[in-house]
Amino acid sequence: MGDLREAYELRRVQFLTPLAKELEEALHKDFDAIDRIDRIVARAKTVDSFMKKAAKEERGIKKYDDPLNQIQDQVGARIVSYYLDDIERIQEVVFRYYRHIEERTVVPDSESEFGYFGKHFILLLPKDLINGPVGPEGYPNFFELQIKTLFQHAWGEANHDLGYKPAWEWESEDKRQIAFASAQAWGADMVFNGLHRKCGQATEL
Amino acid sequence: MINHIFSFLVHPGKGYEDPPEIGGTTVPSAGKLFQMVGDVFDRSDHECNTEIAFVPTEDGQQHNECRGEIIDLLQKPRISNARQLADRLQKATDGRSGLGLLFIVTGEQNRKSKILLARFPADFGVLAEENQKTLQVQFLERVFMKHALSYKAAIFSGTSFDVDFWDGYVVDRQLSGSASYWIKDFLLSDFRTTPEAGTRRLAEAMHSVVNSTSDGNVRSEILAAVRLAPNMDGQPITVEMFCERFNLSGPAREAIVRALRHDTLQHDRFQFCGNEFQRTLPFRSIELNNNGILTAPTNHFEEIFEMEKVSGSENIRFMTEGKVINDGFRKRK
């Protein structure tokens, strides 16, 4: 694991961090004419986050036998929109300029649960951003893009931060509160999106 | 290093209720045919120069059926797995393409697994055999030639069967209009660069050159090409091909290539998109030495402003007519 950490650290410095910066600039250009976007950010996955993912197991077996190659979100980007309806508009622009190999709407497992909501893509990195070798010792071939509303993003960030607190065991009441907060965020999205639509219809009239 | 070679005689089958059987065989690892196919395998990295990417299924999962069959074959190199690809090619091939000989070659190169799919079209030829004083000539049907215009090939390589093999390279000299049956229908893929991304890259390079060059000839050439470019809508093109198509001079081509992020992008193929070209270069603007500025949509500029040279001077006279819909002040040009 020591070798892997060192290899990822090197890749992150040499390729991933500069690439994330260029990708963020590229995305800003792609969405320059699109309104109701709160922010566009891109980042290289931190070393700790990469190592945690590389060590993941599924049914007792390591999920990744070649993590430098297999982990597809070593560079990640996020676009945060105002309203739910904006997500589809943003997706149209994404598909205009990027080739995707995966598109997922991430929702809780059942309709009676609340948790993480977001739209995720695995996209091929555009050739304009690749000026060197592609592979574990160079550029990745893919990046992950998430599209979220402000409320989805707020819940996601707050919940993610809590997940990194050491020596904390969730009690069922804690989990219920987190789900409640997600439901509130979901409700706020519904309210604002509905009002936005009403405004839009009124403007058209 | 080649591990396996499979070969299939693929008749057209697209739209057929009962397509002909596909005969297939494993090619032995020695002999002239093995050597010939080996050469094709080794040279394929140079020949296959159009980058493509598999298109995922509509449910958004990270899955493509053709890619899946390629991975199956690489993991289990059996003729039954290779035949899946031959079946797929048959279903994508109509009568216009005719009979083809498909070679599927698996092997390793640069420490990666590699697969080559190569389709040789059927042609006819003449076999000439000479004895000491005589010559025998024989008409041959079903001669399969690599040099034909309709030769097609695709290569994919990688180390991980989970995440690699999503993009590859093809050679298809018959590309026209939207990507061919080889790319779209057989390989279930498309050019790696989207139409909008490639077109925008070209348009921005031209914009950058026109706005920065002091060479009047280069500027004129590129402006002329911009005017005619919308006629390219839907055609597969590279920056290099675009410059050739519009007969741009050496300095103009070099300036456009220099304006790209890196010069290898001039060979990247995409489908030209007229709408994106217009979106990137919506307005053309001419500023005169009398501080006058003329601005109009790029694709209608010369319809809106008539131009004529003023005799005996370097000046140009512009003429236009229309109804005034806005007349006011601006803080900037």
Side-chain angles (χ1 to χ4, degrees), chain B residues 95-114:
Chain B
R96 288 173 299 175
S97 304
L99 185 63
L101 188 63
L102 176 67
F103 284 99
I104 302 176
V105 187
T106 65
E108 276 141 55
Q109 208 170 59
N110 303 322
R111 289 181 291 163
K112 291 183 182 183
S113 295
K114 176 177 166 181

Side-chain angles (χ1 to χ4, degrees), chain A:
Chain A
M1 275 302 206
D3 285 344
L4 178 63
R5 176 174 272 267
E6 208 176 294
Y8 184 73
E9 274 170 355
L10 189 62
R11 189 186 203 192
R12 190 172 186 271
V13 163
Q14 279 187 341
F15 293 100
L16 302 182
T17 303
L19 177 59
K21 184 164 179 282
E22 291 197 16
L23 177 62
E24 188 174 304
E25 285 168 9
L27 287 167
H28 273 283
K29 190 172 91 172
D30 295 333
F31 289 94
D32 187 45
I34 308 295
D35 56 1
R36 298 196 304 275
I37 288 181
D38 178 69
R39 78 196 70 168
I40 299 173
V41 291
R43 57 93 190 110
K45 206 175 193 64
T46 64
V47 177
D48 286 342
S49 181
F50 174 83
M51 293 304 294
K52 189 178 174 193
K53 191 162 185 169
K56 252 191 188 172
E57 290 186 1
E58 270 175 0
R59 284 180 240 120
I61 299 168
K62 277 188 93 170
K63 187 175 175 189
Y64 302 105
D65 56 8
D66 182 13
L68 270 176
N69 215 7
Q70 290 171 306
I71 292 176
Q72 292 173 320
D73 65 343
Q74 292 174 45
V75 171
R78 184 178 294 133
I79 300 173
V80 180
S81 71
Y82 290 4
Y83 310 120
L84 282 167
D85 280 351
D86 295 324
I87 292 176
E88 199 177 313
R89 283 192 316 137
I90 292 168
Q91 176 171 311
E92 278 170 21
V93 177
V94 170
F95 283 172
R96 205 188 282 165
Y97 296 117
Y98 299 88
R99 286 277 179 232
H100 73 288
I101 66 165
E102 183 181 300
E103 173 205 342
R104 272 189 308 143
T105 302
V106 185
V107 295
D109 288 335
S110 105
E111 285 86 3
S112 57
E113 288 176 19
F114 283 92
Y116 183 96
F117 289 86
K119 188 96 194 195
H120 288 201
F121 305 85
I122 301 291
L123 304 170
L124 282 161
L125 264 168
K127 293 194 69 167
D128 304 65
L129 300 183
I130 300 175
N131 193 14
V134 174
E137 286 158 11
Y139 289 90
N141 210 9
F142 308 102
F143 71 101
E144 183 190 64
L145 175 69
Q146 298 175 1
I147 308 176
K148 294 183 190 176
T149 65
L150 279 164
F151 289 106
Q152 288 170 349
H153 173 62
W155 183 90
E157 288 294 279
N159 182 57
H160 190 254
D161 181 67
L162 285 176
Y164 276 89
K165 297 296 182 227
W168 178 263
E169 277 213 32
W170 299 110
E171 294 173 2
S172 65
E173 203 50 33
D174 301 326
K175 292 179 190 174
R176 192 163 286 128
Q177 287 199 21
I178 292 170
F180 172 61
S182 169
Q184 287 189 306
W186 180 90
D189 263 333
M190 289 292 154
V191 163
F192 278 98
N193 199 60
L195 290 169
H196 169 67
R197 279 190 190 173
K198 248 183 164 175
C199 272
Q201 282 160 4
T203 310
E204 276 169 31
L205 293 169

Side-chain angles (χ1 to χ4, degrees), chain B residues 256-276:
Chain B
I256 290 174
V257 171
R258 268 199 309 272
L260 300 172
R261 283 186 75 127
H262 41 95
D263 60 10
T264 54
L265 289 172
Q266 65 178 305
H267 307 299
D268 183 46
R269 196 171 296 217
F270 55 92
Q271 187 179 328
F272 189 90
C273 175
N275 282 345
E276 185 65 27

